[in-house]
């Protein structure tokens, strides 16, 4: 199963947060007594595997407790840093887990690695005293962590990438990695994008206006794209969409092979004059185009078949997530999530999945590898406009049903007795751990949810 993950970082001193859908799945044994009956029911049911998967998911997330707490703030360990803001407590903006190691990145730019084997901090990944880490990417192709950083010595103007094998980080040797893309000038508005779907890296050097595509396995350059009229590049499985500067009544487009950069198709898409383009998105052979106060257009680029969705039914979202396995896409707008197909039909509206934050931050959202579940930080009680504590909601993407919730007012959710017995690092209550959650990650291998909050604390939830 390929994971579906994409992170784009622009070379700006302001933190930018990529879109992340990470995925790996381990099949967990069903330890209930009626396992055989469940399997039989799954095989003969008209609903196929859905009913089985729903039951299995509910059991998987049942009895989740607060198991552990990690702190990214350590004044003693930060004494070597020369930037004052790096020494202050700061909220968590990104969490990544790999091989029983949890990485937490703060808004200030500190990144800490913690071991789930020992439940202790291993090290900080800032190896220079003026390094501000802006994003993380786990490269499963070679089991390494890529950090994207800016530096005070460079006036925070250029992105620098570094890869470090996970094994060295586990040994407490974060300086054992090596830099990437040193030949590229990634100054604003340049960027680097890691695409786990195709196993590629896309860089843009604004200085010479050149896009380059690298192999994510060994970081060798595959080809470059040089055209000063390219306004944007969108990556989809197997292809890239080049969006050129718009003309008055159309926008020129090219579809390229992601493997070698060869042109597969070049065409113009007609636009309404004097109306701004809200978005142009590519998904396999489907092109989605939306202009201000106009209908959504879904164009099949193979046969030029056009489907329109009324602007009253489909309003411009703040973010998309494409579900490659299910040929669907998620839209986020005003705290709500919806699922659409490429016929322009609304597939799912969620019954209890009102996002906590009005602006969609996809670091607070996780989609499982089978793309059947969405885990998010939500309003615990959607009707309560003044509540101070949110919940972690697990919902079925295809049905919209809420399968489980981790919320502070649920008496069954508590600090794990095992954690108390083992003298864990937990200092927060369940309520405090669920306040102001700013990042979320689900480790499918361990069946654990990690949340980070505004105090720079990471909490582990599992059963």
């Amino acid at each position: 199963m390929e994971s579906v993950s994409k992170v784009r970082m622009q070379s700006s001193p302001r933190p930018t947060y990529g879109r992340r859908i990470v995925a790996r799945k381990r099949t967990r044994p069903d330890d209930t007594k009626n396992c055989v009956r469940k399997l039989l029911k799954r095989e003969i049911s008209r609903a196929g595997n859905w009913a089985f998967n729903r039951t299995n998911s509910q059991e998987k997330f049942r009895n989740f407790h607060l198991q552990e707490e990690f702190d990214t703030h350590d004044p003693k360990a930060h004494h070597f840093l020369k930037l004052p803001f790096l020494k202050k407590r700061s909220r968590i903006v990104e969490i990544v887990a790999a091989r029983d190691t949890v990485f937490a990145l703060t808004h200030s730019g500190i990144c800490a690695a913690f071991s789930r084997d020992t439940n202790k901090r291993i090290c900080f990944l800032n190896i220079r005293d003026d390094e501000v880490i802006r994003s993380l990417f786990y490269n499963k192709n070679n089991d390494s962590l890529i950090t994207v950083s800016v530096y005070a010595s460079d006036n925070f103007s250029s992105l620098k990438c570094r890869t470090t094998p996970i094994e060295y980080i586990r040994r407490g040797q974060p300086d054992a990695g090596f830099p990437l893309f040193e030949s590229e000038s990634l100054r604003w508005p340049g960027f680097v994008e890691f695409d786990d779907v195709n196993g590629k890296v896309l860089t843009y050097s604004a200085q010479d206006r050149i896009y380059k595509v690298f192999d994510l396995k060994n970081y060798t350059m595959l080809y470059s794209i040089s055209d000063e009229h390219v306004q944007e590049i969108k990556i989809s499985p197997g292809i890239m969409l080049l969006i050129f500067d718009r003309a008055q009544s159309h926008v020129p487009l090219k579809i390229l092979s992601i493997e070698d950069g060869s042109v597969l198709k070049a065409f113009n898409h007609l636009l309404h004059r004097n109306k701004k383009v809200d978005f142009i998105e590519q998904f396999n052979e489907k092109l989605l185009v939306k202009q201000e106060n106009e209908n959504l257009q879904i164009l099949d680029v193979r046969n030029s078949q056009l489907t329109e969705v009324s602007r009253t039914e489909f309003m411009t979202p703040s973010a998309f997530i494409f579900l490659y396995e299910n040929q669907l896409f998620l839209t986020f707008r005003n705290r709500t999530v919806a699922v659409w197909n490429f016929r322009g039909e609304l597939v799912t509206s969620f019954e209890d999945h009102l996002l906590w934050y009005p602006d969609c931050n996809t670091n607070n959202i996780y989609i499982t590898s089978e793309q059947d579940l969405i885990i998010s930080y939500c309003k615990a009680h959607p009707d309560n406009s003044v509540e101070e504590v949110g919940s972690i909601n697990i919902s079925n993407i295809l049905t919209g049903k809420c399968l489980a919730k981790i919320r502070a007012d649920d008496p069954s959710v508590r600090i794990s007795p095992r954690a108390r017995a083992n003298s864990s690092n937990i200092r927060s209550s369940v309520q405090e751990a669920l306040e102001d959650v700013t990042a979320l990650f689900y480790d499918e291998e361990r069946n654990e949810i990690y949340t980070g909050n505004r105090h720079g604390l990471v909490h582990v939830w599992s059963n």
Side-chain angles (χ1 to χ4, degrees), residues 19-289:
R19 200 165 40 182
R20 180 157 296 179
I21 311 165
V22 186
R24 249 181 112 138
K25 184 172 188 290
R26 178 185 67 175
T27 304
R28 292 178 61 83
D30 187 352
D31 55 0
T32 57
K33 295 181 180 180
N34 59 345
C35 178
V36 175
R37 180 172 296 180
K38 284 187 177 183
L39 290 170
L40 179 62
K41 184 178 179 181
R42 178 192 67 178
E43 296 303 319
I44 65 176
S45 171
R46 284 167 49 186
N49 294 340
W50 288 8
F52 176 83
N53 288 339
R54 177 178 177 179
T55 303
N56 186 49
S57 297
Q58 288 174 325
E59 292 177 356
K60 181 184 294 186
F61 293 101
R62 183 177 296 163
N63 298 324
F64 259 49
H65 300 306
L66 179 56
Q67 302 285 351
E68 193 54 74
E69 178 178 281
F70 302 131
D71 194 348
T72 59
H73 182 65
D74 187 343
K76 295 181 180 179
H78 294 164
H79 70 278
F80 79 100
L81 299 171
K82 69 179 184 181
L83 300 176
F85 62 83
L86 289 177
K87 300 180 182 182
K88 296 180 180 179
R89 187 173 287 279
S90 179
R91 72 177 184 271
I92 305 294
V93 294
E94 193 171 350
I95 300 174
V96 173
R99 294 186 57 193
D100 301 330
T101 306
V102 180
F103 301 94
L105 176 64
T106 69
H107 180 262
S108 65
I110 288 289
C111 181
F114 302 92
S115 170
R116 282 296 285 131
D117 291 333
T118 64
N119 288 326
K120 297 185 182 300
R121 188 182 67 239
I122 302 172
C123 60
F124 290 99
L125 272 68
N126 305 65
I127 60 175
R128 281 177 42 180
D129 59 6
D130 67 336
E131 180 179 10
V132 177
I133 298 177
R134 281 296 178 230
S135 190
L136 311 174
F137 178 80
Y138 172 58
N139 187 356
K140 69 179 188 299
N141 294 280
N142 53 28
D143 195 31
S144 65
L145 187 79
I146 299 176
T147 54
V148 183
S149 304
V150 291
Y151 296 88
S153 57
D154 189 35
N155 199 27
F156 308 111
S157 63
S158 180
L159 297 176
K160 303 295 182 183
C161 301
R162 183 179 182 84
T163 179
T164 309
I166 297 294
E167 186 56 41
Y168 285 107
I169 297 175
R170 288 163 61 102
R171 296 176 193 169
Q173 299 174 324
D175 56 350
F178 58 89
L180 299 174
F181 320 124
E182 289 185 284
S183 62
E184 306 309 299
S185 176
L186 302 178
R187 295 181 180 274
W188 190 89
F191 64 80
V192 59
E193 178 171 343
F194 302 97
D195 178 23
D196 221 6
V197 181
N198 300 293
K200 300 293 186 290
V201 182
L202 174 67
T203 64
Y204 174 60
S205 173
Q207 180 177 338
D208 49 18
R209 297 182 177 180
I210 293 180
Y211 297 86
K212 292 183 181 179
V213 176
F214 296 81
D215 192 318
L216 194 51
K217 295 178 183 178
N218 52 24
Y219 309 115
T220 56
M221 196 195 84
L222 301 176
Y223 56 90
S224 63
I225 301 168
S226 179
D227 195 320
E228 62 182 18
H229 298 295
V230 175
Q231 185 185 76
E232 176 67 291
I233 291 184
K234 305 280 188 177
I235 298 179
S236 189
I239 58 176
M240 291 193 301
L241 174 70
L242 271 59
I243 305 172
F244 293 85
D245 296 333
R246 86 174 265 185
Q248 190 172 15
S249 59
H250 71 273
V251 57
L253 302 168
K254 280 185 182 179
I255 297 177
L256 275 56
S257 165
I258 191 73
E259 295 301 327
D260 58 14
S262 59
V263 178
L264 302 177
K265 187 178 180 70
F267 59 102
N268 294 330
H269 184 78
L270 296 178
L271 297 174
H272 296 278
R273 294 171 179 265
N274 304 320
K275 289 199 173 182
K276 78 179 186 73
V277 176
D278 287 343
F279 63 80
I280 299 178
E281 296 286 345
Q282 175 80 19
F283 176 87
N284 291 347
E285 70 279 2
K286 303 295 185 182
L287 183 72
L288 279 63
V289 181

Side-chain angles (χ1 to χ4, degrees), residues 366-378:
Y366 186 97
I367 310 291
T368 55
S369 59
E370 291 193 348
Q371 300 181 356
D372 57 342
L373 300 179
I374 178 172
I375 305 171
S376 311
Y377 183 55
C378 296

Side-chain angles (χ1 to χ4, degrees), residues 315-320 331-336 358-361:
M315 291 174 281
T316 302
S318 58
F320 286 90
T331 59
F332 299 84
R333 178 183 170 87
N334 297 335
R335 288 197 172 101
T336 62
D359 56 330
C360 175
N361 177 4

Side-chain angles (χ1 to χ4, degrees), residues 291-303:
Q291 287 186 260
E292 185 180 27
N293 298 322
E294 294 294 336
N295 295 341
L296 169 68
Q297 296 182 325
I298 303 176
L299 176 69
D300 191 316
V301 298
R302 298 173 302 178
N303 53 25

